[in-house]
Amino acid sequence: MAVTDRAFYLKRHLMNTHGMSDYQAAAVVGNLMQESSLNTGAINRGDGSDGSNSIGLAQWNGSRARALNSYLDERKRAGTFTNDTEGQLDYLVHELNTTEKAAGDRLRKSGSLEDATAAFVGFERPQGWSASNPTNAHGWNNRFGYAKQLMGYSPTVDGQAAETQALAQSQATPSASPNSAQAEAPKGDSVSIGKVDLHPNDGIAVRAANKLFGTDWHISDDQKKDIDKSAGLFGDVAKLFTQDTESINKQIQNSVRGRQDTAPVQLTMLSSAAPLLMKKKRGGLGGLGGY
């Protein structure tokens, strides 16, 4: 899993809202990346020792998962609920200060990124973990590796709006009950709560096609850059043709001053573009496009 802007902003939320240091927050998010790929809707059915589901960012199960559900329900009743991402992070910190205070104390006393990662894996306690050998925990290399990547990561888009959007990318928190009829959390990009547009690059045509055909096409940032670059290239070519047209007309006017039968010259790109368009139409699989 690659470190993303979402990971960065989860880390920053822990720092700004809960006072964690840079490396402490990176250690927490690095562990969460291993646990759930930062999907608040992640669910591992029957994974708990009591047969309950492991759910959410930290893959809570058993009484801890039921307490998470109760905590979020209470926040909703109190009108303090924002989204599942922030709600789960806030509950995680609540546990570090109460029922998981031993892990919280080790995290607060940690003096390095590795110490902090080892401290928080004691909050998760995955297979292979022991208090005497926390680095034997399942996925340790990934946990510590993600934390190290986060320490050197800068967001591709900065600012309050970007942070709000990243934190709002949340699936609904699943139920801890093994009898829950809730569907499995979908893989891939998570969806937004509220009115945050998670696919701002999609134009009217893409949105209309998705609605008409029931597809899930989206334009990535890299694709958007290529589209903008192509549009700029065609714009530059058109500008050159315009400049050449003006230059030729000036030369004609200078050489035939006094004559009245000279019409302006117009250069066009259609004749050179037509073969290219025909070539595109014939190419590709099944003649459906390509060069």
Side-chain angles (χ1 to χ4, degrees), residues 114 117-118 121 125-141 143:
E114 185 172 7
T117 306
V121 82
R125 298 189 288 279
Q127 183 179 7
W129 173 88
S130 67
S132 60
N133 188 13
T135 61
N136 193 52
H138 173 72
W140 168 259
N141 289 336
R143 297 170 194 272

Side-chain angles (χ1 to χ4, degrees), residues 265-280:
V265 173
Q266 292 185 341
L267 298 181
T268 177
M269 291 187 288
L270 291 178
S271 60
S272 61
L276 177 60
L277 294 175
M278 292 175 66
K279 180 180 179 183
K280 179 177 181 180

Side-chain angles (χ1 to χ4, degrees), residues 13 35 79 100 138:
H13 178 78
E35 291 292 329
E100 295 294 324
H138 173 72

Side-chain angles (χ1 to χ4, degrees), residues 183-194:
E184 297 287 342
K187 300 184 186 303
D189 292 340
S190 54
V191 298
S192 169
I193 283 180

Side-chain angles (χ1 to χ4, degrees), residues 8-215:
F8 174 86
Y9 286 118
L10 264 66
K11 171 189 156 190
R12 196 155 85 173
H13 178 78
L14 292 171
M15 295 171 63
N16 293 346
T17 304
H18 297 291
M20 289 189 184
S21 70
D22 191 21
Y23 70 83
Q24 289 169 348
V28 171
V29 177
N31 271 284
L32 298 181
M33 289 174 70
Q34 171 66 20
E35 291 292 329
S36 64
S37 298
L38 303 186
N39 180 3
T40 54
I43 180 170
N44 190 354
R45 294 191 179 278
D47 182 56
S49 59
D50 60 350
S52 64
N53 301 331
S54 292
I55 61 173
L57 291 174
Q59 288 293 276
W60 289 275
N61 58 51
S63 60
R64 293 176 68 182
R66 291 189 291 273
L68 167 66
N69 288 152
S70 297
Y71 174 87
L72 295 179
D73 288 343
E74 179 59 33
R75 290 274 295 261
K76 291 172 184 177
R77 286 192 294 270
T80 59
F81 179 84
T82 51
N83 57 61
D84 287 86
T85 299
E86 292 179 88
Q88 290 189 21
L89 288 176
D90 294 345
Y91 178 71
L92 179 154
V93 174
H94 168 74
E95 280 197 315
L96 287 172
N97 291 325
T98 55
T99 55
E100 295 294 324
K101 190 173 183 297
D105 288 343
R106 286 193 294 271
L107 179 64
R108 285 182 282 271
K109 293 176 181 177
S110 62
S112 67
L113 180 64
E114 185 172 7
D115 287 347
T117 306
F120 192 78
V121 82
F123 172 94
E124 296 289 351
R125 298 189 288 279
Q127 183 179 7
W129 173 88
S130 67
S132 60
N133 188 13
T135 61
N136 193 52
H138 173 72
W140 168 259
N141 289 336
N142 287 341
R143 297 170 194 272
F144 187 38
Y146 295 144
K148 286 192 289 187
Q149 290 179 53
L150 263 171
M151 287 297 290
Y153 184 84
S154 296
T156 56
V157 180
D158 206 348
Q160 185 61 48
E163 181 168 12
T164 299
Q165 176 168 309
L167 291 175
Q169 290 175 319
S170 309
Q171 299 282 358
T173 301
S175 170
S177 171
N179 298 320
S180 170
Q182 189 165 2
E184 297 287 342
K187 300 184 186 303
D189 292 340
S190 54
V191 298
S192 169
I193 283 180
K195 297 182 179 180
V196 179
D197 185 2
L198 298 184
H199 304 290
N201 297 330
D202 295 354
I204 294 176
V206 174
R207 298 178 193 273
N210 284 337
K211 186 173 182 179
L212 179 63
F213 299 112
T215 51

